Amino acid sequence: MGAHDMTLSRRDALKAAGALVVGVCLPVGGLKAQAAKGPPPITPNAFIRIGADDVVTILSKHIEFGQGPYTGLATIAADELDADWSKVRVQSAPADAKIYANLMLGAQLTGGSSAIANSFDQMRQAGAMARAMLVQAAATAWKVPVSEIAVSKGVISHGKSKRSAGFGTFAEAASKLPMPKQVAYKDPAAYTLIGKDRPGVRVDSADKATGRAKFTIDMTAPGMLTVLVARSPRFGGTVRSFDAADALKVKGVVAVKQISTGVAVYARGMWPAIKGRKALRIEWDDSKAETRGSEEMIAAYLEQTRQPGTVHGQKGDAAKALAAGGEVIEAEYVFPYLAHAPMEPLDGFMVFDGTTAKARFGSQGQTIDQGAIAQVLGIPMDKVEIETLLAGGSFGRRATPSGHLAAELAEVAKAMPVGTPVKLVWTREDDIHGGYYRPLFVHRLKGAIKDGKITAWSNTMMGQSFMIGSSFEAFAVRNGVDAIMSEGSSKLLYDIADFRCDAHVAKSPVSTLWWRSVGHTHTGYAVECFVDQLLVAAGQDPVEGRLAMMAGNPRAAGALKAVAKLADWKGPRAANGRARGVAVVESFSSYVAQIAEVSMGENGEPKVHKVWAAVDCGVAVNPDIIRAQLEGGIGFALGHALYAEVPLEAGRPTVSNFNDYRSLRINEMPEIEVVIVPSKEAPTGIGEPGVPPLAPAVANAMAALGHKRPARLPMVRA
């Protein structure tokens, strides 16, 4: 089972969340205030508002941090509505799980590359309902049959009488009609927006390009205090004592308070907050802190994987098959802690008046954050209002099972007099030192080859589980098995008769979290490097050999064939000192295959010249955004595979910012060519699936050049 099959059932989620709750008056005053002047806009449901000025506003339950759901959700609803795209706007929906729960996750939460997948039918229904109500209102006003009404690009018309009007003309009348119990969806052949190539169509690009878009870091308010928190340099450390005398002498510093995560400095601006925090004298209690370094952890994990762990997946008898003869090949792979390092580090704004809290920030998990704030402040969840702002990236960082940022924000607000506006900021150094990393993992693999075929496969891994012990454990962990740890390796795309995958759970105070493509970040590399190694040893072509074992995974095979065709694959050997490597990974129910063309520089570092990618993500809602996500994912993956690592020494992170937590530079970005495999399947994820195949494709190309596949990432180590 893949980790992301851990969902509540769709039916349960619908019951809990209310799904498409028609006729709901949105409870957020701010949204009402932003409605168009004139007659009140209709609320055909909680997801679409149409004003007298013909403007169609889509309410997005998913946060926009660059991955494109604002445009995607709007495209789906606007197509069913037959709206004029130039008049479509998007706002963030308020925090309210009863209406806006992610139907796959059971809470208002953006994650698992599920924004489009869980909203596709919901937004189609919303658009179709709104359209039906507008048509009924027009038919009534014109005294003509509904069947004679046509709608196109935001204009309602009646051909026989030659009358026509925009949506706004009928908005008020439509708002008074009962909600239709059933609506018919468009035939996909009639789509005018979905699946159409419309470069430059993103609804959020113009404001971001011109600086009009507002992020949490831009927040300000009269009397607002900026807050920085000094936290233990070691994970698990706590405050033993502190002296704030020098910090309080810094001009602009207003207060210093101890909270559960450290010592908070309140100041009138960022600079005095930085100076004040630096002036603090704190004695830390490391009695429960992590004091090991990464090297010690890796050595211990590798030793532990010599013993079998808890079974995550198996078929046949791998141990017996490995002992039965043939060539047995072994490999080890080591993956470091990785920080998310979004361009906008964590931050949040809040005012607490003693009975209610109003927070504004880039909340990725509104339901979790509401609960965390309510718990700290001792108020009901419905007294916590969250306005979800745009966020400058996340890669998983802004959604934590504990809602730790929201809880800390509530703590710093609670510690001051009621009504004090506070903005909590994590600096980039705070973020990279602050944990919630992609876990450090090791894999030990054994495979057997006999008669030119792979006959056995064994994979033992070890790393931390961020599900065990979390609020998600009850539905994410079964019989002690956290499927996220092994997703992508507990069940292969390949038909191998005797197979086993098992895992050990490591314990450490170092906080870990999902990171873009989650478990596939390490399993994709381990599996795709090792299968390539076995195929080469068996004398098989890396593409043909994979296809021969993919009878049970036709969509994966389709993506692999598509990328091979796109790259004109004729084997791994290329000319001019270059070679090509291939990998294919299924993640978040999408299938991505990539081929990387690589050479080795004089400095011994791999140079990636071009990447070809093929993706099958079901119905392609916005092809241009899909290509952008693939391209962004490839650049993100390449930078991390080559350079990124958060090493620990004596429990302390030794990197702190982009000067030593290296990202890919613009001149290092390879040429990329993407093909989207046509599909009638339901839409699936696209924000993350572009990441996992890149690193193994590069490693396999390096092997084709005569170098070893890197057994430890990053490939270029300081």
Side-chain angles (χ1 to χ4, degrees):
M1 181 181 76
H4 302 286
D5 299 327
M6 66 185 184
T7 56
L8 303 173
S9 74
R10 185 178 179 83
R11 184 175 298 279
D12 289 342
L14 282 165
K15 287 178 179 176
L20 181 63
V21 183
V22 296
V24 170
C25 292
L26 298 177
V28 178
L31 289 173
K32 291 178 180 176
Q34 295 173 35
K37 294 180 179 178
I42 66 168
T43 54
N45 52 55
F47 298 91
I48 300 176
R49 298 166 66 87
I50 300 175
D53 56 359
D54 295 338
V55 169
V56 176
T57 301
I58 308 299
L59 300 184
S60 173
K61 64 183 184 181
H62 294 291
I63 183 175
E64 175 63 78
F65 39 55
Q67 80 282 37
Y70 275 18
T71 304
L73 300 189
T75 297
I76 299 164
D79 204 322
E80 287 290 347
L81 185 56
D82 281 317
D84 177 357
W85 184 254
S86 70
K87 295 185 177 179
V88 173
R89 311 285 185 267
V90 182
Q91 291 181 359
S92 177
D96 188 342
K98 290 188 179 70
I99 305 171
Y100 298 113
N102 184 317
L103 303 180
M104 291 180 171
L105 303 176
Q108 192 170 355
L109 173 67
T110 303
S113 290
S114 63
I116 299 300
N118 95 94
S119 301
F120 188 69
D121 289 341
Q122 193 174 46
M123 298 309 292
R124 288 185 75 192
Q125 186 179 7
M129 290 181 73
R131 185 185 188 280
M133 295 171 75
L134 289 166
V135 167
Q136 181 61 61
T140 301
W142 290 339
K143 295 182 175 55
V144 299
V146 165
S147 59
E148 294 182 0
I149 298 287
V151 184
S152 177
K153 294 184 177 180
V155 175
I156 303 170
S157 60
H158 181 247
K160 292 182 180 178
S161 63
K162 297 182 180 180
R163 285 177 288 190
S164 65
F167 285 174
T169 302
F170 303 104
E172 182 179 14
S175 71
K176 297 174 182 175
L177 295 173
M179 301 294 167
K181 294 181 179 178
Q182 289 185 327
V183 289
Y185 296 156
K186 274 185 178 179
D187 186 306
Y191 287 154
T192 58
L193 301 173
I194 295 173
K196 307 304 179 186
D197 241 328
R198 300 179 297 145
V201 76
R202 285 190 63 139
V203 296
D204 54 330
S205 292
D207 282 351
K208 289 178 176 175
T210 57
R212 291 195 299 268
K214 298 299 181 187
F215 297 79
T216 309
I217 201 74
D218 302 315
M219 280 295 304
T220 186
M224 185 188 81
L225 298 177
T226 300
V227 186
L228 296 184
V229 176
R231 304 174 186 85
S232 171
R234 285 193 174 92
F235 298 99
T238 56
V239 176
R240 175 172 289 152
S241 64
F242 72 99
D243 182 348
D246 290 342
L248 289 168
K249 294 177 183 175
V250 175
K251 186 179 180 181
V253 171
V254 173
V256 176
K257 305 282 187 182
Q258 183 173 349
I259 60 174
S260 66
T261 54
V263 180
V265 176
Y266 299 74
R268 300 195 186 284
M270 188 67 181
W271 183 239
I274 291 173
K275 291 179 67 177
R277 185 172 68 170
K278 191 175 182 180
L280 286 172
R281 284 178 286 180
I282 305 174
E283 184 179 356
W284 299 102
D285 179 356
D286 288 337
S287 59
K288 296 181 180 179
E290 177 62 81
T291 57
R292 293 175 296 173
S294 295
E295 299 304 320
E296 295 169 80
M297 299 168 97
I298 290 167
Y301 292 6
L302 285 173
E303 183 61 29
Q304 184 66 38
T305 55
R306 296 186 185 281
Q307 304 299 321
T310 302
V311 173
H312 283 217
Q314 67 178 346
K315 184 175 67 171
D317 189 336
K320 184 178 179 180
L322 285 165
E327 182 182 0
V328 175
I329 296 176
E330 301 185 26
E332 296 174 351
Y333 296 107
V334 175
F335 304 89
Y337 285 121
L338 290 176
H340 303 72
M343 192 55 65
E344 180 193 18
L346 301 185
D347 43 18
F349 172 88
M350 180 183 287
V351 178
F352 176 50
D353 66 8
T355 56
T356 64
K358 294 183 179 179
R360 303 182 72 190
F361 63 110
S363 175
Q364 189 174 345
Q366 293 90 340
T367 305
I368 297 169
D369 291 339
Q370 271 185 309
I373 292 170
Q375 186 172 19
V376 170
L377 299 180
I379 59 177
M381 277 183 67
D382 63 6
K383 298 298 182 184
V384 178
E385 178 183 315
I386 295 178
E387 180 182 351
T388 303
L389 302 182
L390 298 171
S394 173
F395 315 119
R397 180 65 182 90
R398 298 182 194 278
T400 58
S402 64
H404 77 90
L405 174 73
E408 192 174 66
L409 178 60
E411 275 204 70
V412 299
K414 185 180 181 181
M416 295 300 284
V418 295
T420 303
V422 295
K423 182 167 76 174
L424 172 68
V425 179
W426 284 49
T427 66
R428 191 171 316 286
E429 288 81 0
D430 292 342
D431 184 37
I432 291 181
H433 284 178
Y436 297 92
Y437 302 133
R438 193 286 302 275
L440 183 157
F441 257 88
V442 305
H443 285 247
R444 183 178 298 281
L445 294 111
K446 291 183 181 178
I449 299 168
K450 193 173 184 180
D451 300 327
K453 294 183 178 179
I454 301 172
T455 57
W457 180 289
S458 173
N459 182 183
T460 299
M461 68 186 72
M462 184 167 182
Q464 292 171 249
S465 164
F466 44 78
M467 283 298 181
I468 294 175
S470 79
S471 56
F472 290 175
E473 178 174 347
F475 65 89
V477 180
R478 298 282 187 273
N479 301 319
V481 173
D482 172 7
I484 279 182
M485 296 176 63
S486 59
E487 59 180 356
S489 59
S490 59
K491 182 180 179 182
L492 303 182
L493 295 174
Y494 310 112
D495 184 15
I496 297 174
D498 295 289
F499 163 83
R500 176 187 169 99
C501 173
D502 55 73
H504 300 276
V505 177
K507 301 295 184 183
S508 172
V510 179
S511 52
T512 58
L513 184 62
W514 37 63
W515 185 92
R516 192 176 183 179
S517 71
V518 199
H520 299 282
T521 62
H522 53 92
T523 63
Y525 187 85
V527 168
E528 285 300 293
C529 281
F530 194 55
V531 76
D532 207 80
Q533 184 177 354
L534 296 179
L535 288 171
V536 171
Q540 296 195 46
D541 175 83
V543 170
E544 295 302 324
R546 282 174 169 83
L547 289 172
M549 298 186 290
M550 282 183 165
N553 287 285
R555 293 181 69 187
L560 183 56
K561 290 176 182 176
V563 79
K565 181 180 179 181
L566 184 69
D568 191 23
W569 174 268
K570 292 183 173 64
R573 293 288 183 183
N576 302 323
R578 300 182 183 185
R580 293 178 175 185
V582 63
V584 56
V585 176
E586 178 271 327
S587 63
F588 307 96
S589 302
S590 291
Y591 301 82
V592 177
Q594 295 177 4
I595 292 174
E597 186 167 293
V598 179
S599 67
M600 297 301 292
E602 293 181 355
N603 60 0
E605 298 182 10
K607 167 69 176 176
V608 181
H609 299 273
K610 183 166 183 176
V611 177
W612 294 265
V615 56
D616 178 352
C617 58
V619 172
V621 174
N622 280 302
D624 192 51
I625 291 180
I626 291 171
R627 284 192 290 271
Q629 286 299 304
L630 263 291
E631 292 162 356
I634 287 168
F636 180 89
L638 182 56
H640 285 84
L642 291 178
Y643 305 114
E645 177 179 17
V646 182
L648 301 185
E649 290 184 4
R652 295 175 178 239
T654 62
V655 294
S656 61
N657 208 318
F658 289 138
N659 63 305
D660 47 15
Y661 189 69
R662 172 90 147 81
S663 295
L664 198 70
R665 295 168 180 154
I666 193 167
N667 65 312
E668 296 165 339
M669 187 71 181
E671 180 185 356
I672 298 173
E673 194 172 349
V674 177
V675 62
I676 301 170
V677 178
S679 175
K680 295 181 180 178
E681 298 288 338
T684 49
I686 196 59
E688 304 175 77
V691 173
L694 186 281
V698 172
N700 292 332
M702 293 169 66
L705 286 167
H707 297 263
K708 289 185 177 178
R709 294 175 183 82
R712 180 172 177 174
L713 296 184
M715 296 176 180
V716 180
R717 305 195 63 238

